[in-house]
Amino acid sequence: MPTVSSRGDAMRGLAVFISDIRNCKSKEAESKRINKELANIRSKFKGDKTLDGYSKKKYVCKLLFIFLLGHDIDFGHMEAVNLLSSNKYTEKQIGYLFISVLVSSNSDLMKLIIQNIKNDISSPKPVHVNLALHCIANIGSAEMSEAFGQEVPKLLVSAHASESVKQSAALCLLRLIRTLPDAMTYAEWASRVIHLLNDQHMGVVTSAASLIHTLSQLSPGDYKGCVSLAVSRLSRIVTSTYTDLQDYTYYFVPAPWLSVKLLRLLQCYPVPEEPAVRGRLVECLETILNKCQEPPKSKKVQHSNSKNAVLFEAINLIIHIDSEPNLLVRACNQLGQFLQHRETNLRYLALESMCLLAGSEFSADAVKKHRETVINALKTERDVSVRQRAVDLLYAMCDKTNSEEIVAEMLAYLKKADYAIREEMVLKVAILSEKYASDYTWYVDTILQLIRVAGDYVSEEVWHRVIQIVINRDDAQGYAAKTVFENLQAPACHENMVKVGGYILGEFGNLIAGDERSSPLVQFNLLHSKFHLCTPSTRALLLSTYIKFINLFPEIKQTIQNVLQNDNQLRNADVELQQRALEYSQLSSITSQDVLATVLEEMPPFPERESSILAKLKKKKPASVQAIEKEEEKMKKSPPSIENHVNVPKEVPANTVSRLTISNSVDLLGLSTPPATPQQSTNSLLVDVFGSVDQPVAPKPESNISKFLFKNSGVLFENNLIQVGVKCEFKEHTGRVGLFFGNKTGNQLQNFSASVSMGADLQGKVNIAPQKEAPTQIDGGAQVQHFVNLECITFFSGSPNLQLRYQHASTPQQVTLKLPVIINKFMEGTNMPAADFFNRWKQLGQPVQETQKIFQANHPIDTEAAKTKLTGFGMSVLINVDPNPDNLVGSGIVKTKTSQIGCLLRLEPNKEAKMYRLTVRSSVGEVAALLCTMLEEHF
Amino acid sequence: MIRFILIQNRAGKTRLAKWYMQFDDDEKQKLIEEVHAVVTVRDAKHTNFVEFRNFKIVYRRYAGLYFCICVDVSDNNLACLEAIHNFVEVLNEYFHNVCELDLVFNFYKVYTVVDEMFLAGEIRETSQTKVIQQLLMLQNLE
């Protein structure tokens, strides 16, 4: 047992108790001993005899020990508070310690405690003041900030306070400021506080530097005067010999911690403008760099560590200043020496620091000289965190000239990399190979290799991205198709490879179909051989590939249809697979080759946006992308590679399907399929298709409704709680709107109501009648239907409103939507021979009956697409009427209950000028004007 | 800033826990266990720094004791590492060749040493001479 001093602080009973506890052989014995002690202390505290200060201190200290062993203490707080008012230091100290460690925000006691602290803080004895200050700092509650926010700063700048008290006051104040940063910046104290940097006592400066650092961050303007003071203080330290500072020299390094604090403080501000200050600062930094070249004054690690602590902080400041090329390059050279140092700590820190230097234009090249050493570190370092830093640095130093080597090294390392860092490495390789690809075959190879060696760590973002790039780059498509085909031939290939392969072959398989080794059937069989080993989401993607194959390779249509119509698909337990198989097989058997070709057209290029891989990496490691972002700003001027040219949609395959289904319904209507096709009978099915698709949330109902101009079903609205699907049928002047409310949450939506109302302008023009009452609640995950019948009395513009109210998590929600009930829904196309058309056209010749608009084409001019749109709009497109085959004419009748309004239309494209002239004539002039306006933006 | 200081032995027994941030008791226990798990698996060839949640641990092993301080990621690693050593040298002088048992029996004095050298999560005093002087002065008070 260690010797216990014989002074007044010795507590023999405590030592005996601790020995007893240590001698306990079992947990039970320990508990027993503790309970015995607790009972003893309790009886002492409750006893009639007043305890003397020493006993109280001893028992409180025992309680504290018991608490620190992990036992709950529910008494003794009052006795601890009593100790605070003792005059003896040792008793006070135990009282304060107990309170700092154990006190909860027990408000009754807190008042007493604060009163005691108040007494001590104004005591003439510095040791009492310090105990009080330490207690405030250790508790650091808002209550403390309020009670002492005014007292503590007074001590800090007092002429009478001892140095030790000032030190404690500075940091105590810092703690109070951190607790309530808004309440105090002490602008009025600023100049007195910053002058603490000039204090004679180094300990005061050391404490004050931390306080000033925080204040400078909170209120830079008030404290900017600290810069010149910090520079001169720093200068005095670094130019001193190690004997000057005596007590503050640590292993021959003068005041290393204070130097570090000052160097950090200076990083709060831009480089000083005043030439003298700036010059002095640069001199300091040079001196610090010079000292590293001097022979060490001691072989002890403490000497080199503290010297290097200052060096690394100086380098941080040099990087922060970023305008002294000479210093930056010297810093880099110094770090270069550390890269091969025998101390792991130094190699680690050098890699970390160099990562920042790689971001500066002045030192980027100097950093690149160390490429081989860094690559070597990746291969040989034993500590994973060092290897991690090497990866970060390689990433930061990568450029066009070294990207192939760096990416190759990272790929090689990836094979044996620690699991913890694989995902991040995959992201980095993906980003680098994309950013610096001058040759897309290299890019495609790299990503496929990534999938081969670390398929499990390849996130969706990465494989989506490669698909997007291939789609956007014509020159990469053939190669991509060939390469994925080859990769898929491996007996075991990662599911992500199947996804990429499935997608790319579906789009570009035709580019390699000429070779009999990769003929359509071979491609299909290859993909389908993987099908059964894949998860449902991949299978769904493959089904989409198959329908695309039917379009690309009509010769294998039968084989594919057999697969689609196989019970494994049609009766699959997975609804998504079942549905895709059913719809695709219908699509392939009902539609003509032309329609199929339109529906399954090649994906259009993706719009440009920030790479979501980069976004993901940023989220994972905000610091590590800084360097590359800086780089990027510079790169923007130089001709770009593929970087930033494409974006990743939330889910690539889903995107196609939604496209498919939308155009699908339009086209089927365009072919005037009788309303008894499977489409119709699977009423809610269509809505479900949309439900499974990740559609963007409709921002405004008004803008959303225009998409329903040409179709009758789809998602009307969606947020994270609810999805509203709609399916309408119209016949003559009547219609039926089916609404499908899907609850996307796991909880019931309560107090649900859905009411359709007419705005003033629709009053009397449209009648509505719900088939039955709307549901009043929707269970979690459920979908409910609601049908509304309506009748068009007379011509109207606008649409009825649908108002939804519901309660989620007891918060009422309200959504107002427009129903896709638009005047054109009541229009029916009419066929007529050319002669009749011209007759009617002439009859409607009055100026009020005609509206004509000439406008710039919003979409590529495509006669077939325009025909489809007009048909979807409700008009019959009349063939062989207009002598110019590019012109379209159509006719239709708007049927209301009270009247029938004939409408004729002529659409004349001017392909050279990319303009349209649209003329609508109608017996009712208003109708002509309205239809013309509605159609204009869609061509 | 320093978020907490822990002294643990190899078995994971805590010999000192000083918190500069509000944690509830369960969280403290979790942190103690996590730090122990992270630090004890590392060997002498490893660095003295390890990433830890959103912070980092700078630690050094002295015989059977791990001295760990948890600091912000931007803090200076070597300065923290030497702050640990400085603290250990003070303990060594104050307790005359400090050993684990000194920390057990004099736990309440260790807190005083910590408060002299670190306060509010910052370094308060670095001079060993000054700290020892102060500690001896306090020890002679009644």
Side-chain angles (χ1 to χ4, degrees), chain A residues 1-2 5 7 9-11 14-15 18-19 22 61 64-65 67-68 88-90 93-94 97 101 127 130 134 137-141 164 167-168 171-172 174-175 178 201 203 206-207 210 247-248 250-251 257 260-261 264 301-302 305-306 308-310 312-313 344-346 348-349 352 382-386 389 621, chain B residues 1 13-15 17-22 25 28 42-51 56 60 62 73-86 89 94 99 101-102 104-109 111-112 115-116 118-130 133-134 137-142:
Chain A
M1 210 178 87
S5 129
R7 301 286 316 183
D9 63 323
M11 289 177 276
L14 174 69
I18 295 175
S19 294
R22 288 182 56 78
C61 203
L64 181 57
F65 182 78
F67 174 78
L68 291 171
K88 294 180 175 163
Y89 169 80
T90 54
Q93 190 252 328
I94 297 295
L97 179 58
V101 173
V127 288
N130 266 355
H134 292 183
N138 284 328
I139 293 176
S141 60
S164 181
Q167 276 176 283
S168 298
L171 292 173
C172 181
L174 170 57
R175 175 67 195 250
R178 281 187 183 141
H201 189 285
T206 304
S207 296
S210 293
D247 293 350
Y248 287 89
Y250 177 81
Y251 288 90
W257 294 282
V260 167
K261 282 190 182 190
R264 285 172 67 82
V301 70
Q302 284 76 22
N305 275 352
S306 41
N308 291 329
V310 178
F312 279 109
E313 209 53 66
T344 317
N345 285 343
L346 280 184
Y348 173 90
L349 293 171
E352 188 180 63
R382 283 186 48 191
D383 184 342
V384 49
S385 57
V386 185
R389 291 291 158 272
K621 283 199 84 170
Chain B
M1 71 173 277
K13 280 224 178 220
T14 307
R15 293 310 181 198
K18 180 81 189 173
W19 310 94
Y20 294 104
M21 217 178 136
Q22 300 288 351
D25 289 347
K28 284 179 183 172
R42 298 171 64 84
D43 67 29
K45 293 269 181 192
H46 284 86
T47 60
N48 293 85
F49 325 122
V50 58
E51 286 177 21
K56 63 188 174 195
R60 186 122 132 199
Y62 294 89
V73 177
S74 60
D75 278 324
N76 187 305
N77 296 44
L78 291 175
C80 296
L81 186 59
E82 285 314 308
I84 292 175
H85 188 74
N86 201 26
E89 288 194 354
Y94 183 51
C99 67
L101 278 189
D102 291 316
V104 176
F105 281 91
N106 299 294
F107 70 94
Y108 56 97
K109 291 185 187 166
Y111 281 102
T112 307
D115 280 350
E116 282 299 317
F118 307 93
L119 194 64
E122 303 291 344
I123 291 173
R124 176 181 177 276
E125 179 58 74
T126 62
S127 157
Q128 293 183 18
T129 323
K130 288 246 157 59
Q133 265 174 13
Q134 179 77 4
M137 186 271 281
L138 294 176
Q139 181 151 337
N140 288 318
L141 292 173
E142 205 188 346

Side-chain angles (χ1 to χ4, degrees), chain A residues 721-758:
Chain A
L721 303 176
I722 194 169
Q723 184 194 53
V724 182
V726 67
K727 166 118 182 90
C728 312
E729 296 160 54
F730 297 94
K731 191 154 201 276
E732 304 205 321
H733 66 279
T734 61
R736 187 170 85 133
V737 179
L739 293 165
F740 303 87
F741 303 111
N743 179 353
K744 293 170 70 177
T745 71
N747 309 318
Q748 197 178 58
L749 295 180
Q750 288 166 330
N751 296 340
F752 182 85
S753 79
S755 58
V756 180
S757 63
M758 300 295 156

Side-chain angles (χ1 to χ4, degrees), chain A residues 3 12 93 102 119 188 311 313 384 542 558 636 717 792 849 897:
Chain A
T3 49
R12 184 140 181 82
Q93 190 252 328
L102 241 140
N119 295 340
E188 70 275 22
L311 173 71
E313 209 53 66
V384 49
L542 285 177
Q558 197 50 53
K636 282 193 179 131
F717 172 79
C792 175
Q849 291 174 321
K897 195 175 182 184

